[in-house]
């Protein structure tokens, strides 16, 4: 059950047309090495589920700039002008989702729920095409679960069982995406032996993590 | 404090600061709202929530940690007593009413408390980020904006024309000219900023509004 | 903003007819000192939201045995025969909720969602009286949010701002209940100064905690 | 291993153990299911999930920690590589399909994979605890139970009579007499336990079932 994987092995995982989730908030907490491995895989028509498309040359931005992405589901695309340009040019399909709703949809996908009943977006364009459910006289949008074939996470530290600890504001979407994909790959700064992480301090249990890529090589 | 002439944004931020109570949990939008803390009196400490995953947002205090940024992606710090969490929990706090006050900019606000501040059709659309959740979930929503657009037209309308960020969500509007409260019976002009007369506000405000007893008696 | 409170002050909080949530799983992670303070308050007609009713003489059990509770919402009552006896005698209203659904309902109450769409309980008596929502061809129960006037938590450690760390399997329902009540009181084994808990290790942020009761007296 | 006579429960647990793959995440119900790990071959290590909030459940290893119990409330330990979490996350794992196998006892199972194991009308009702979530969410649901009730009546029915724990959720039924798989076309008798003949199983099973090719050829 060795979970540690090389960059070449990461690259070989990606296929055209895949749906990929990646952690990060404006690039902070984005696994840059995994994004780079994905770029090297030369895949296309990717559907990308991310909080934002970061910047042209960092975060998940290079996947957009290099034309690998067919559709983005995100809460914010404003810091990467290439996302906006491709969207207006009709090259890229963009689904904008309020950030809290995006988090809930990923959670629903990872935790077996049928959807989310949120007040966010009621009375705005966000409600278009969505079912509205009234509970005790108040309207909520039914927002559907999101899942991916692969989730790309960034953590600070892992043990060899895949138990993860995140660092500061680099945590963001990573812990929730760990539940919502068929294959979960994490990029970490360091790997320690099993038993070296206090079970009370684990932020994502190792059973959710399939592969560990160590930044700058391992062990 | 040396008395100096404040510009429009400072006038707005200073007035918004008066809405804060000691211990309030506050989420500030990007831009003007981030100026609010510098106008808080010394006995009022607020706790800033950063939507990207923590309580206790502080200014950058020297060392840049690439893993620690504010909601605008800028290097920041966390104050003693702060706590990190994931995006899910961050929006549980926001949507669940655990944020006392949010202060956001506005493109348009109307008499029903509708707010439009996230997109202009035909222009580049940045996305709503966390704004829709914030205006839906925060206990008190303050719009802090200049009274008129660059072309001089009123940003306080009878009815918003731009796509909404939230419907019926705004509690208070603070501009460099005036303060309006949104009530069940529409807008109420609560205060005139220093040196501003009622006529100026009436001329620059498209929406109809009632005038508070305090102003009428003045 | 001193959050530290005495047992007498805790007692004074409770009123007849209140809805109270308490953490714990068969008494583990239940704030026994707060339960005792509640008993001393001599209140009645309480609605209790708990995972289980523990034992006759421990956990939240004594509240049942002493006849303080009008209604229990729980996933399990089997370890406390007094709960079953009062239920059969018609003295106590018991609403049984699957454990995962109970957790989700508390979370929905604490996080502003309109309800939960869960597959759990479909086709069983649990679905009686509930709306069923079909999402992409699959049926889910709409389970409603739960909130309380007071939540009673147990944590291992708090700082004076109320940031909490739980210990091992005593965590259970405590972190979710911290969001779902108007007033949140925590019983802790120790209190440390602000700044002594690493912000990455906080499990419940202090802004959610109103009052801290220190087991065996404070400071 | 010294060959010894196994009792009914041991026969069931030993057969269930054969369903486990190395690395499986497993949740075991109270009672008989907890006997399964002792029958695992040395090259098969499973990871036990405890619904009250952790991965890596282990047997009590000496020191009792009042903050560390299993789902039955009994003192337990956590193995290296384990992790604690709250009840919400525990059931995210369970409902979200992150538990590979759950093993539960049963009062009744039927040909459509319905399971009844949480209440008997007119008797004291303990509550469903986590059982309904487990049978709904686990990838594979194994019912491990004695073939007949104390009065000798079949527990494998055409249709359950008791209130259900889950509808169409059971994958495999393991008794001291036989192993049945639940398929879209109803029950299939997959295996006879050692020394049990088909006639015995037919006599003691109320539900109709198909017989697997393997048994027919034997």
């Amino acid at each position: 059950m060795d979970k540690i994987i090389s960059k070449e092995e990461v690259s070989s995982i990606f296929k055209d047309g895949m749906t990929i989730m990646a952690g990060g908030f404006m690039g902070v907490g984005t696994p840059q090495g995994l994004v780079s491995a994905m770029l090297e895989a030369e895949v296309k028509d990717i559907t990308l589920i991310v909080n934002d498309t970061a910047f042209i040359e960092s975060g998940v931005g290079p996947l957009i700039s290099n034309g690998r992405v067919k559709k983005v589901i995100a809460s914010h695309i404003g810091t990467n002008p290439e996302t906006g340009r491709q969207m207006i040019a009709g090259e890229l399909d963009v689904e904008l989702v309020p950030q809290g709703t995006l988090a809930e949809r990923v959670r629903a996908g990872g935790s077996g729920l049928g959807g989310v009943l949120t007040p966010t977006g009621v009375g705005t364009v966000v409600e278009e095409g969505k079912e509205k459910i009234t509970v005790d006289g108040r309207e909520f949008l039914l927002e559907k679960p999101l899942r991916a074939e692969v989730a790309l996470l960034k953590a600070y530290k892992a043990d060899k069982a895949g138990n993860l600890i995140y660092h500061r504001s680099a945590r963001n979407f990573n812990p929730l995406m760990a539940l919502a994909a068929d294959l979960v790959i994490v990029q970490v700064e360091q790997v320690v032996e099993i038993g070296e992480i206090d079970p009370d301090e684990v932020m994502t249990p190792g059973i959710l993590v399939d592969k560990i890529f160590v930044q700058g090589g391992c062990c | 404090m040396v008395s100096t002439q404040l510009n429009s944004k400072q006038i707005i931020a200073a007035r918004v600061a008066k809405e804060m109570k000691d211990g309030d949990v506050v989420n500030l939008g990007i831009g003007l709202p981030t100026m609010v803390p510098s106008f808080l009196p010394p006995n009022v400490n607020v706790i800033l929530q950063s939507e990207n995953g923590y309580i206790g947002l502080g200014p950058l205090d020297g060392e840049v940690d690439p893993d620690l940024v504010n909601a605008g992606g800028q290097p920041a710090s966390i104050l003693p007593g702060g706590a990190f969490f994931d995006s899910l929990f961050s929006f549980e706090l926001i949507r669940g009413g655990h944020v006392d006050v949010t202060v956001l900019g506005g493109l348009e606000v109307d008499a029903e408390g509708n707010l439009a501040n996230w997109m202009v059709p035909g222009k580049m659309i940045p996305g709503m980020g966390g704004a829709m959740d914030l205006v839906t979930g925060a206990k008190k929503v303050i719009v802090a904006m200049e009274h008129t657009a660059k072309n001089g037209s009123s940003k306080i309308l009878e009815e918003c024309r731009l796509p909404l960020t939230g419907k019926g969500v705004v509690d208070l509007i603070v501009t460099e000219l005036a303060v309006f409260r949104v009530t069940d019976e529409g807008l109420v002009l609560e205060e005139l900023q220093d040196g501003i007369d009622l006529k100026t506000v009436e001329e620059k405000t498209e929406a109809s509004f009632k005038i508070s007893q305090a102003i009428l008696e003045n």
Side-chain angles (χ1 to χ4, degrees), chain A, chain B:
Chain A
M1 277 217 312
D2 191 359
K3 296 186 175 182
I4 293 170
I5 190 173
S6 70
K7 194 168 180 184
E8 291 67 37
E9 289 170 295
V10 173
S11 279
S12 71
I13 284 165
F14 302 103
K15 309 281 175 242
D16 290 353
M18 268 188 169
T19 298
I20 310 280
M21 275 177 188
F25 185 99
M26 298 202 197
V28 176
T30 299
Q32 211 62 57
L34 299 179
V35 169
S36 152
M38 194 173 159
L39 276 171
E40 284 165 21
E42 300 275 357
V43 288
K44 58 179 195 296
D45 295 335
I46 297 297
T47 294
L48 197 59
I49 302 171
V50 285
N51 176 61
D52 58 80
T53 54
F55 308 98
I56 288 182
E57 295 190 7
S58 68
V60 297
L63 295 170
I64 308 273
S65 329
N66 286 276
R68 307 299 172 78
V69 181
K70 176 184 67 175
K71 179 174 181 177
V72 170
I73 301 174
S75 82
H76 200 268
I77 57 170
T79 52
N80 187 337
E82 186 58 22
T83 310
R85 190 200 65 69
Q86 291 183 16
M87 178 174 68
I88 289 168
E91 298 161 23
L92 180 66
D93 183 12
V94 175
E95 179 180 343
L96 289 171
V97 182
Q99 194 174 162
T101 301
L102 184 65
E104 290 290 336
R105 291 179 65 189
V106 170
R107 175 177 185 270
S111 65
L113 298 174
V116 183
L117 298 179
T118 181
T120 301
V122 169
T124 77
V125 295
V126 167
E127 74 173 38
E128 282 172 16
K130 287 170 193 159
E131 196 174 342
K132 279 197 265 188
I133 306 277
T134 301
V135 183
D136 294 336
R138 189 172 173 208
E139 277 191 338
F140 297 91
L141 299 188
L142 196 171
E143 295 272 8
K144 291 194 183 173
L146 286 173
R147 282 189 65 86
E149 286 158 278
V150 182
L152 306 179
L153 314 185
K154 167 81 161 65
Y156 167 61
K157 185 156 82 171
D159 67 17
K160 287 183 175 173
N163 290 302
L164 304 182
I165 290 180
Y166 306 96
H167 188 231
R168 309 191 107 180
S169 70
R171 193 181 317 185
N172 54 66
F173 278 75
N174 287 294
L176 26 160
M177 290 179 169
L179 287 91
D182 303 334
L183 185 79
V184 174
I185 314 174
V186 64
Q187 171 181 332
V188 298
E189 294 179 33
Q190 53 169 303
V191 181
V192 299
E193 294 301 322
I194 290 173
E196 286 187 37
I197 297 181
D198 180 339
D200 266 333
E201 292 180 8
V202 171
M203 298 180 186
T204 292
I207 60 157
L208 296 171
V209 174
D210 299 296
K211 302 291 174 191
I212 303 169
F213 168 70
V214 188
Q215 243 170 293
C218 166
C219 318
Chain B
M1 198 202 284
V2 182
S3 171
T4 52
Q5 191 73 23
L6 300 181
N7 65 29
S8 291
K9 288 182 177 178
Q10 290 168 324
I11 290 168
I12 297 168
R15 179 58 189 81
V16 170
K18 290 186 187 171
E19 295 293 317
M20 308 290 167
K21 294 192 301 293
D22 190 45
D24 272 353
V25 177
V26 177
N27 185 300
L28 300 174
I30 294 168
L32 195 161
T34 61
M35 296 164 60
V36 171
S38 59
F39 291 98
L40 289 172
N43 59 335
V44 176
N45 288 296
V46 302
I47 301 167
L48 297 182
Q49 198 256 6
S50 195
E51 70 182 26
N52 54 324
Y54 55 110
I55 284 285
L57 168 67
L60 184 62
D61 58 355
E63 216 181 327
V64 170
D65 177 346
D67 285 343
L68 183 46
V69 298
N70 63 23
Q74 302 304 311
S77 73
I78 187 163
L79 301 174
F84 291 104
F85 32 77
D86 64 27
S87 300
L88 189 73
F89 192 86
S90 184
F91 283 87
E92 290 180 23
L93 292 180
I94 289 169
R95 202 188 322 94
H98 306 284
V99 170
D100 296 303
V101 186
T102 187
V103 185
L104 301 97
L107 295 170
E108 295 176 355
V109 190
D110 71 22
E112 296 193 335
N114 298 326
L115 168 66
N117 74 349
W118 77 282
M119 69 169 284
V120 179
K123 289 205 181 171
M124 208 76 127
I125 300 169
M128 68 291 280
M132 286 191 179
D133 299 284
L134 274 163
V135 298
T136 303
K139 277 190 210 152
K140 184 170 184 175
V141 175
I142 302 177
V143 174
M145 63 176 192
E146 290 178 285
H147 206 95
T148 55
K150 278 182 192 145
N151 66 6
S153 66
S154 174
K155 293 168 75 175
I156 303 176
L157 308 177
E158 209 56 59
E159 196 172 342
C160 287
R161 291 154 204 151
L162 292 172
L164 298 186
T165 307
K167 195 171 164 66
V169 294
V170 177
D171 295 294
L172 199 73
I173 306 165
V174 178
T175 78
E176 77 283 14
L177 304 182
V179 178
F180 294 91
R181 197 163 299 276
V182 182
T183 73
D184 290 345
E185 290 111 44
L187 297 181
V188 177
L189 177 66
E190 290 276 338
E191 270 177 51
L192 297 168
Q193 297 279 20
D194 272 359
I196 305 297
D197 60 21
L198 181 56
K199 189 155 172 292
T200 304
V201 173
E202 285 174 331
E203 279 170 8
K204 299 205 171 185
T205 306
E206 185 205 283
S208 54
F209 54 84
K210 298 188 177 176
I211 298 166
S212 71
Q213 210 55 34
I215 292 180
L216 288 174
E217 285 167 4
N218 217 335

